[in-house]
Amino acid sequence: MNQQAIKIDGMSCASCVGRVERVLAAVPGVDKVSVNLATEMARVESAQPLDFAVLAQAIDKAGYQASLPPPEPGAAPAAGNKGAAIAPAEGIPALRPTGGLAVLLAALFSLPLMLPMLLELAGIHWMLDGRLQWLLATPVQFWLGARFYRAGWLAARARSGNMDLLVALGTSAAYGLSVYLLLAGGAMPHLYFEASSVVITLVLLGKWLEARAKRQTAAAIRALQTLRPESARVRRGDQDVDLAIGEVRANDIIVVRPGERIAADGLITEGASHVDEALITGESLPVARHTGERVTGGAINGEGLLLVRVTAIGAESTLSRIIRLVEDAQAAKAPVQHLVDRVSAIFVPVVLVLALLTFGGWWLVGGNAEQAIINAVAVLVIACPCALGLATPAAIMAGTGVAARYGILIKDAEALELAHRITTVAFDKTGTLTEGQPSLALLAPAPEVDETRLLALAAAVQRGSEHALARAVQQTAETRAIAPLSASDISALPGRGVSARVDGVRLLLGSTRLMQEQGVSLQSLSARAEELERAGHTISWLADADAHRLLGLLAFGDRIKPQAQAAIAALHALHIQTILLTGDNQGSADAVGKQLGVSRVIANMLPADKASTIAALKGEGATIAMVGDGINDAPALAAADVGIAMSSGTDVAMHAAGVTLMRGDPALVAAAISISRRSYSKIRQNLFWAFIYNLIGIPLAAFGLLNPMVAGGAMALSSVSVISNALLLRRWKPEEK
């Protein structure tokens, strides 16, 4: 699937989002489109290669400006994407001020128009000459407010509507009425120039404050981007050369001095130090790193000099992948947003009808065209759907951003929304609740089998395997200086074990289930195995497959993670049931489950069994999260409502999961659910406020109880308030253990 990210300028409300999505979806070959108002980004997916120029042309015709996001440091520009930004056909005059300057100028022009109203509150009756009012209001209306006309016209031309159209129609009606009354003459006509000017000023102020607040919601991305070093010190022969990060290549040796930021992902080839990975993993304390261990680009080196062989650069680096995950989550739509999209699609046309009804009703009942126009203007201004479009994405941006700061990467908005409903969390055991670094605790050979021979055969079968139990066997064999045996026809048996041919004999090493399936009797060591399992050990059996003869058993021990018990307790405090779902034997699983206080233990699970167990639990009405770290957990992670992967595990597990924990701390599971609940709560609060502004404001305006200036202030306040409410999520912290 091909993906294209597009930066879009000029969107102002939820209706704009809907229009951009419609024009992009109409481009031939486009399969899926998601547009986010808060990030001003579009994500387009297609099975065919995407042509940015074609997509940008469609966006341009809809009245917006499209450009490519800036490339990652060291990345080559995408082919065919030169001239990334495409300006709209009807250009914006270069002399028009924007941002804070536009607000300041609009306020300076509008203040004299408001002065008579302010003086009247103090009992002073004074009115500015009508011609001066016109001179002050005109630049606000047609110079500073030109953006509303342009965007409103493009929306109308596309047979759509947006905030700009409502503001342009409303302020034009007030301005036009005032010009008519001024030209019609009269002793002292009551003009409404202050209403049109102040509304434009307040809307500009609201958009400026909104833009500032949106920048704060994106602070997490900017903080991660600042971790990217711009240069690296590369060792070339006997010399150290400073190079731009884009010139660094895989397998280069980089020199990292004390206190410097590590320039790229890599393996330490020389040296030892403590490394601060706080902004990447959320780990508060520096961690020790030695020769042969991995380090992450962007982390800060402590006291030691390190030589690091580069393993990943550019888009493939851990930091770039983290940034991509957070950006994808912030750009995605939560399921609840689809309701907002449906409402927004009909919102502006309904408001236009209500404004016409308000005008007609007041004119017919009261016979006062002036009052009818002013009340209709108030309806148009108060009903802007800005807050509606920002309510959900602002909360998602803030929630995923603060989660990333503490080492919780939420891959998509759906995972964020679903996680608040979780009722059951299923854990894998090895590497998730335990350290995942088992040691060979005991060898028990069958009668007439030598212990050394048993270990030598087991080590031969396991040669080349990266499984944790295999490494434990290899380390023990090396420690005992056992001469390695050669093995052939090595074959992994997923969820069961491994088979290989050693000295011409086909051997099986694996679980009790594997032995039973192959007809190998375990009777001679069954009592010993039960005793070891009750003590919490994991058992593997070695057998001669050709003779169906048991050769012995291997007992492994794995320490429980120090944080595991507190993690289970934290989930129970959230009224969430916990399940230990493991391929290990029942005795070992029960021992771990009892020690941690897990609600339920299910053992002897194959990868497919884990996935089917998850599906069965979902069928009983539970909302399931699966926590794992291995390839064998990937089916269960994908089957769960929310998959949570440990980043210390495999890439396969991380890709299958909706949430990735950047350090192997199971306590982060409760933290991920906590931030999800807080974020979803903010989404509901924001949607409530967004709807309530309109549900209360529109009737008040229609019945003449809200003048256009107050309506403009309320409309601006609605957008700022939902973003400010979302920003409160930045105060969230995981509970201390």
Side-chain angles (χ1 to χ4, degrees):
M1 183 65 71
N2 297 285
Q3 289 192 349
Q4 176 70 66
I6 305 173
K7 180 80 170 69
I8 300 177
D9 293 317
M11 295 190 298
S12 59
C13 65
S15 296
C16 297
V17 171
R19 187 157 83 257
V20 173
E21 287 185 338
R22 286 194 296 275
V23 298
L24 286 175
V27 173
V30 169
D31 296 322
K32 185 179 179 182
V33 180
S34 177
V35 178
N36 188 307
L37 178 61
T39 60
E40 297 180 331
M41 293 287 291
R43 298 267 176 181
V44 183
E45 294 183 9
S46 172
Q48 308 168 12
L50 291 161
D51 187 340
F52 172 75
V54 174
L55 299 173
Q57 188 176 19
I59 294 169
D60 174 43
K61 286 182 179 178
Y64 305 97
Q65 302 106 50
S67 61
L68 285 170
E72 294 182 0
N81 285 338
K82 294 178 181 179
I86 294 188
E90 301 166 52
I92 300 175
L95 295 178
R96 186 180 306 134
T98 58
L101 179 58
V103 175
L104 178 62
L105 290 174
L108 290 175
F109 282 121
S110 301
L111 191 58
L113 297 172
M114 286 185 62
L115 194 57
M117 185 187 305
L118 299 174
L119 291 174
E120 191 169 338
L121 296 174
I124 301 172
H125 300 284
W126 173 79
M127 182 63 66
L128 193 66
D129 182 85
R131 288 167 294 182
L132 286 176
Q133 291 187 49
W134 174 78
L135 283 173
L136 290 167
T138 299
V140 176
Q141 188 72 37
F142 299 110
W143 182 45
L144 300 172
R147 55 161 284 179
F148 302 114
Y149 284 101
R150 180 185 176 279
W153 162 246
L154 291 170
R157 194 176 68 181
R159 298 180 182 179
S160 182
N162 60 7
M163 176 206 80
D164 302 295
L165 180 62
L166 296 180
V167 172
L169 288 174
T171 57
S172 296
Y175 178 89
L177 175 61
S178 301
V179 171
Y180 168 77
L181 293 173
L182 181 63
L183 294 175
M188 185 70 81
H190 183 78
L191 306 177
Y192 299 96
F193 286 120
E194 82 283 354
S196 61
S197 297
V198 171
V199 165
I200 288 175
T201 301
L202 288 172
V203 174
L204 290 174
L205 174 63
K207 299 306 287 182
W208 179 65
L209 292 172
E210 178 187 307
R212 289 189 64 191
K214 282 197 289 189
R215 283 196 295 273
Q216 292 182 57
T217 62
I221 291 289
R222 289 198 303 276
L224 288 168
Q225 288 171 338
T226 60
L227 299 181
R228 286 171 164 159
E230 295 181 356
S231 63
R233 187 172 291 102
V234 180
R235 179 155 292 181
R236 295 283 166 84
D238 296 331
Q239 292 187 330
D240 294 343
V241 184
D242 287 331
L243 298 177
I245 196 66
E247 298 177 42
V248 178
R249 297 291 177 262
N251 293 318
D252 278 348
I253 300 295
I254 59 174
V255 182
V256 188
R257 293 186 294 203
E260 289 185 337
R261 199 174 289 282
I262 298 170
D265 292 2
L267 285 170
I268 299 174
T269 60
E270 186 179 318
S273 185
H274 283 80
V275 176
D276 182 355
E277 301 175 341
L279 279 174
I280 299 169
T281 66
E283 179 63 63
S284 58
L285 297 175
V287 291
R289 290 287 183 260
H290 304 88
T291 300
E293 293 188 316
R294 294 185 179 276
V295 288
T296 305
I300 298 174
N301 183 26
E303 72 284 359
L305 178 71
L306 298 177
L307 296 185
V308 177
R309 181 171 59 81
V310 175
T311 57
I313 53 174
E316 298 307 313
S317 68
T318 299
L319 185 57
S320 292
R321 289 163 63 194
I322 291 172
I323 292 172
R324 246 187 343 264
L325 276 172
V326 178
E327 285 177 336
D328 288 346
Q330 294 188 343
K333 287 189 176 184
V336 71
Q337 180 68 22
H338 297 301
L339 168 64
V340 176
D341 292 343
R342 288 195 295 271
V343 172
S344 300
I346 62 169
F347 192 83
V348 173
V350 168
V351 169
L352 291 173
V353 170
L354 289 174
L356 286 172
L357 291 174
T358 299
F359 171 76
W362 278 90
W363 195 10
L364 290 173
V365 174
N368 187 337
E370 290 181 36
Q371 191 62 45
I373 290 174
I374 290 303
N375 291 341
V377 168
V379 170
L380 290 172
V381 172
I382 191 65
C384 180
C386 305
L388 204 57
L390 291 166
T392 301
I396 288 171
M397 286 181 70
T400 54
V402 73
R405 191 190 311 162
Y406 291 102
I408 302 166
L409 295 185
I410 300 172
K411 192 161 69 174
D412 55 48
E414 185 174 3
L416 183 72
E417 183 175 330
L418 281 173
H420 86 279
R421 300 205 314 257
I422 288 171
T423 58
T424 304
V425 175
F427 287 93
D428 173 51
K429 183 174 76 70
T430 305
T432 304
L433 294 175
T434 65
E435 296 285 359
Q437 297 176 342
S439 59
L440 183 57
L442 185 138
L443 286 159
E448 300 180 4
V449 178
D450 178 69
E451 182 177 302
T452 301
R453 177 67 175 172
L454 175 65
L455 180 57
L457 292 172
V461 172
Q462 296 280 35
R463 177 153 296 132
S465 174
E466 289 299 316
H467 193 282
L469 298 184
R471 288 197 299 269
V473 172
Q474 296 290 340
Q475 287 170 1
T476 304
E478 289 172 9
T479 301
R480 297 191 185 184
I482 293 176
L485 300 174
S486 61
S488 61
D489 299 334
I490 299 174
S491 176
L493 307 171
R496 292 169 171 81
V498 64
S499 72
R501 192 166 292 278
V502 180
D503 292 343
V505 178
R506 181 169 169 260
L507 301 178
L508 294 172
L509 178 63
S511 65
T512 302
R513 175 182 291 202
L514 176 62
M515 298 299 128
Q516 291 171 342
E517 289 174 350
Q518 296 296 321
V520 177
S521 173
L522 307 177
Q523 186 174 359
S524 60
L525 291 174
S526 60
R528 183 70 169 130
E530 289 175 8
E531 178 186 339
L532 290 167
E533 286 180 347
R534 283 196 299 271
H537 290 89
T538 298
I539 302 299
S540 284
W541 305 89
L542 182 66
D544 179 341
D546 296 330
H548 300 283
R549 183 170 70 94
L550 180 66
L551 299 177
L553 68 79
L554 297 82
F556 299 89
D558 189 6
R559 288 185 304 166
I560 292 174
K561 289 183 177 180
Q563 317 95 327
Q565 193 165 7
I568 299 298
L571 290 169
H572 290 169
L574 294 173
H575 306 291
I576 293 172
Q577 183 186 26
T578 54
I579 296 176
L580 181 58
L581 198 61
T582 177
D584 212 341
N585 62 74
Q586 192 69 51
S588 178
D590 285 339
V592 172
K594 183 177 181 181
Q595 186 174 341
L596 296 179
V598 175
S599 309
R600 184 178 173 190
V601 175
I602 305 175
N604 296 310
M605 291 277 104
L606 296 175
D609 295 333
K610 291 183 180 181
S612 60
T613 301
I614 294 289
L617 291 168
K618 286 169 64 176
E620 295 171 6
T623 302
I624 302 285
M626 174 67 196
V627 187
D629 73 329
I631 292 174
N632 63 330
D633 297 319
L637 290 168
D641 293 292
V642 180
I644 302 177
M646 300 282 189
S647 70
S648 53
T650 64
D651 284 347
V652 175
M654 291 169 65
H655 285 307
V659 178
T660 298
L661 308 181
M662 288 308 295
R663 61 182 192 273
D665 183 354
L668 288 179
V669 175
I673 295 172
S674 171
I675 187 58
S676 171
R677 290 182 176 183
R678 291 283 294 277
S679 299
Y680 192 70
S681 175
K682 288 298 179 188
I683 289 173
R684 287 187 298 183
Q685 291 170 18
N686 281 351
L687 288 175
F688 169 79
W689 286 113
F691 278 113
I692 209 71
Y693 271 112
N694 290 316
L695 289 175
I696 294 175
I698 291 175
L700 289 176
F703 286 106
L705 301 175
L706 205 64
N707 71 52
M709 287 185 289
V710 175
M715 188 269 285
L717 180 64
S718 67
S719 297
V720 175
S721 65
V722 296
I723 296 183
S724 300
N725 187 44
L727 285 173
L728 293 176
L729 285 168
R730 296 174 70 192
R731 299 179 181 178
W732 175 86
K733 291 182 179 181
E735 291 186 13
E736 295 292 333
K737 298 187 285 291

